[in-house]
């Protein structure tokens, strides 16, 4: 039985601060329709795909902040996306800001991503663990990056689901820079890692690296794919969003670390590839055969909490 999935990386261009969910969802449905017409089984959208990247602004009015969060999924605004996927027979994943009330009555807020099957069922959910940025307003920055203020650290670990005929792992944006993310997923036999990102071209704490943003983006995802023998689909929200330039470069990476499809521009655009999940074996049975070659007994420091960690 072939385990080839046709996957579409559905890059999105900027979303304006006052752009309603209905507009973002309509753009996603248009991309989904085009992907399905080109044979896609799975469509992957960016991090925080329904709104502008709001952590770039300092806000202390909770109602203003909460306007960017979803309390239900699907919601009235996102139901058309789920309906379109069912009609087209495609799975999809996307990121959104999630607000919920837990069993103890505490309000929780997460930067979340879900994988949805072609029948509209949520197959997997991930809440971002590596939250970049800062807690308080830092006026010296050209723009803020307040993920640490608006979200708490994810509490679902690094999930891998049996889905779409393979083992599918989720992570979000900054997670891709950490080798531990991909390794945690690969240790659960992930064959496909889906991630969305919002990455500014300008990195205020180290602007001397601005020209390396696209390089670092592909560097970490290609390394994550190769070192773990998994397919990786990385999808940007790109372009000039409210005066902030976000990189593009959405791509599909084979388990060998090679980019097999890539978006060329900074707007709404698809990159599509046939992804044979059995190709993971080329790497996972050989150079990165974990049972044969890993030395976990020597890696204790990785999980020790030390003054330097
Ligand atoms: N959304 C992100 O997580 N962005 C970070 C930026 C701030 C460096 C990223 O790792 O791309």
């Amino acid at each position: 039985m072939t385990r080839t999935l046709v996957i579409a990386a559905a890059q999105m261009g900027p979303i304006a601060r006052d752009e309603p969910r209905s507009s973002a969802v309509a753009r996603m449905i248009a991309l989904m329709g085009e992907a399905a017409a080109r044979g896609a089984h799975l469509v992957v959208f960016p991090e925080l795909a329904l709104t502008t990247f709001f952590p770039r602004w300092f806000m202390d009015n909770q109602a203003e902040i909460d306007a960017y969060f979803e309390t239900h999924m699907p919601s009235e605004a996102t139901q058309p996306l789920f309906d379109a996927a069912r009609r087209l027979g495609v799975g999809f994943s996307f990121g959104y800001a999630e607000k919920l009330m837990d069993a103890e009555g505490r309000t929780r807020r997460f930067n979340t991503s879900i994988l949805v099957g072609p029948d509209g069922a949520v197959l997997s959910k991930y809440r971002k663990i590596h939250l970049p940025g800062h807690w308080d307003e830092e006026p010296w920055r050209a723009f803020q990056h307040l993920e640490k203020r608006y979200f708490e650290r994810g509490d679902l670990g690094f999930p891998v689901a049996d889905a779409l005929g393979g083992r599918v792992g989720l992570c979000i944006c900054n997670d891709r820079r950490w080798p531990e993310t991909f390794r945690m997923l690969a240790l659960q036999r992930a064959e496909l890692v889906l991630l969305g990102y919002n990455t500014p071209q300008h990195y205020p704490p180290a602007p001397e690296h601005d020209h390396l943003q696209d390089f670092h983006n592909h560097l970490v995802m290609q390394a994550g794919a190769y070192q773990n023998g998994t397919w990786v689909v990385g999808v940007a929200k790109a372009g000039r969003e409210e005066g902030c330039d976000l990189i593009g470069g959405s791509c599909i990476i084979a388990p060998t670390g090679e980019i097999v499809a890539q978006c060329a521009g900074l707007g709404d655009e698809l990159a599509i590839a046939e992804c044979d999940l059995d190709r993971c074996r080329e790497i996972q049975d050989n150079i990165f055969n974990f049972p044969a070659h890993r030395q976990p007994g020597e890696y204790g420091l990785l999980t020790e909490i030390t003054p330097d960690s």
Side-chain angles (χ1 to χ4, degrees), residues 47 53 128 132 145 147 173-174 176-177 198-200 203:
E47 173 190 36
F53 189 76
K128 188 173 182 179
H145 197 106
E147 285 196 62
C173 194
N174 191 261
R176 74 196 188 288
R177 301 185 193 271
N198 283 260
T199 297
Y203 183 61

Side-chain angles (χ1 to χ4, degrees), residues 22-305:
S22 55
S23 167
V25 167
R27 287 167 54 187
M28 293 166 81
I29 291 172
L31 285 164
M32 193 182 264
E34 187 188 333
R38 292 169 63 184
H41 306 111
L42 173 63
V43 186
V44 183
F45 293 104
E47 173 190 36
L48 298 176
L50 303 175
T51 67
T52 199
F53 189 76
F54 64 90
R56 78 166 62 89
W57 292 287
F58 176 80
M59 296 174 273
D60 55 7
N61 177 332
Q62 197 58 55
E64 188 185 357
I65 299 164
D66 282 346
Y68 293 100
F69 282 75
E70 314 300 317
T71 53
H72 296 89
M73 191 56 66
S75 57
E76 203 182 315
T78 51
Q79 186 63 52
L81 190 58
F82 286 67
D83 294 343
R86 205 175 297 121
R87 191 173 64 248
L88 297 165
V90 296
F92 64 105
S93 75
F94 71 103
Y96 63 97
E98 178 189 19
K99 178 184 161 190
L100 62 114
M101 182 90 82
D102 71 13
E104 283 80 49
R106 286 176 305 164
T107 300
R108 320 279 302 271
R109 294 177 184 80
F110 298 100
N111 185 342
T112 294
S113 165
I114 54 172
L115 173 65
V116 183
D119 59 353
V122 175
L123 303 175
S124 187
K125 177 185 275 196
Y126 169 68
R127 293 176 176 148
K128 188 173 182 179
I129 288 179
H130 297 102
L131 293 170
H134 48 109
W135 282 270
D136 297 314
E137 186 169 27
E138 297 186 358
W140 59 269
R141 290 173 183 257
F143 49 84
Q144 306 293 298
H145 197 106
L146 288 154
E147 285 196 62
K148 287 195 193 295
R149 181 181 187 87
Y150 299 140
F151 303 115
E152 60 179 291
R153 189 180 65 219
D155 61 351
L156 299 175
F158 293 96
V160 177
D162 281 314
L164 309 168
R167 298 274 300 162
V168 185
L170 302 175
C171 64
I172 301 177
C173 194
N174 191 261
D175 289 318
R176 74 196 188 288
R177 301 185 193 271
W178 300 88
E180 293 87 351
T181 301
F182 291 102
R183 188 50 54 91
M184 286 298 294
L185 295 171
L187 285 170
Q188 300 168 78
R189 296 180 293 108
E191 298 172 307
L192 171 61
V193 176
L194 311 178
L195 69 96
Y197 56 90
N198 283 260
T199 297
Q201 188 76 53
H202 171 54
Y203 183 61
E208 63 275 25
H209 294 162
D210 287 358
H211 68 291
L212 298 173
Q213 289 301 337
D214 291 282
F215 166 62
H216 287 160
N217 177 40
H218 286 161
L219 176 71
V220 291
M221 294 195 294
Q222 290 180 261
Y226 169 61
Q227 290 171 341
N228 297 283
T230 65
W231 288 89
V232 172
V233 182
V235 184
K237 174 134 67 58
R240 176 158 295 185
E241 189 177 85
E242 299 293 353
C244 178
D245 287 314
L246 300 170
I247 66 166
S250 303
C251 62
I252 300 176
I253 303 165
T256 50
E258 296 160 286
I259 293 177
V260 295
Q262 184 177 332
C263 289
L266 295 173
D268 291 9
E269 181 183 346
L270 298 174
I272 297 185
E274 288 187 8
C275 305
D276 177 357
L277 300 182
D278 287 330
R279 287 202 59 203
C280 297
R281 302 258 58 88
E282 290 172 27
I283 300 294
Q284 293 178 358
D285 286 349
N286 296 302
I287 186 81
F288 291 113
N289 180 328
F290 288 175
H293 306 307
R294 262 182 97 244
Q295 300 296 340
E298 301 295 329
Y299 307 151
L301 264 182
L302 285 177
T303 53
E304 256 174 52
I305 297 173

